[in-house]
Amino acid sequence: HGMISSLGRRGYDAQVQQSPSAIGGGIIKRAWFRFYRLDWCPDPSGIKPLLPTMAEAEEDVESWDLAFKSHSDSSYVAGQRWRKKGANKYLLAEIHEHLDFPATCQMMMRWDKENPRDGARWVEDAANGPAVIAQLRATVPRLIAVKPEGSKPARLSAASRDIEAGNVY
């Protein structure tokens, strides 16, 4: 049990059991995610925690992975809003659509108007990320170009410990 705790279930299965994917999942499992409730939404089970307010949170951020084209065979534009309080991270909203350059800019401006925030808006410094930042710099605050390190599966694997520990809602 101590080895499972230090390696995490996936690491334990890969290292000790020589089975890199735990039963029922790849890098992460759906069962690891937790769910929160909003202040107007009662939870009869009494299990779901209340989403922290912006005033209670330590950080509210957005993360954007942009694409060049809106064709169905091209990559998606993925945007997410996250709130952090203590060790817990809360997904507030997400978009996953095929959008071209103008539609991406419009979406990011709409998100800013609907829910202005003080936190950073990270934009992957790839595809048309630099062009979107240049276009929106005067109208959408706190756009920050980021160059992610490692592949997407490697980055997901790094985040999987928070998810497995029950800190992602």
Side-chain angles (χ1 to χ4, degrees), residues 36 38 40 51 63 74 89 99 103 112 115 130 133-134 142 169:
Y36 61 84
L38 301 172
W40 50 266
L51 173 69
S63 179
S74 63
K89 293 138 186 107
L99 300 173
D112 178 56
N115 194 6
I133 291 173
R142 292 170 302 285
Y169 291 80

Side-chain angles (χ1 to χ4, degrees), residues 22-131:
I23 295 171
I27 296 174
I28 59 172
K29 292 183 180 184
R30 181 180 300 268
W32 292 348
F33 289 96
R34 303 291 181 250
F35 296 90
Y36 61 84
R37 65 183 171 89
L38 301 172
D39 59 0
W40 50 266
C41 181
D43 175 25
S45 70
I47 297 172
K48 295 179 186 172
L50 187 64
L51 173 69
T53 65
M54 282 179 63
E56 296 170 328
E58 296 162 19
E59 190 173 27
D60 264 28
V61 298
E62 288 179 14
S63 179
W64 292 89
D65 182 358
L66 306 180
F68 280 114
K69 301 175 185 173
S70 63
H71 302 300
S72 62
D73 62 345
S74 63
S75 295
Y76 287 91
V77 168
Q80 295 184 333
R81 286 186 181 144
W82 288 89
R83 180 167 292 163
K84 181 179 183 292
K85 181 179 179 188
N88 295 328
K89 293 138 186 107
Y90 303 84
L91 178 62
L92 304 176
E94 67 179 332
I95 181 171
H96 188 254
E97 295 181 24
H98 293 291
L99 300 173
D100 60 11
F101 180 84
T104 298
C105 291
Q106 290 170 357
M107 174 62 67
M108 292 177 78
M109 288 187 297
R110 190 180 97 214
W111 272 35
D112 178 56
K113 285 183 179 131
E114 288 174 357
N115 194 6
R117 56 196 352 82
D118 291 333
R121 290 180 169 94
W122 300 315
V123 179
E124 188 171 351
D125 192 8
N128 65 2

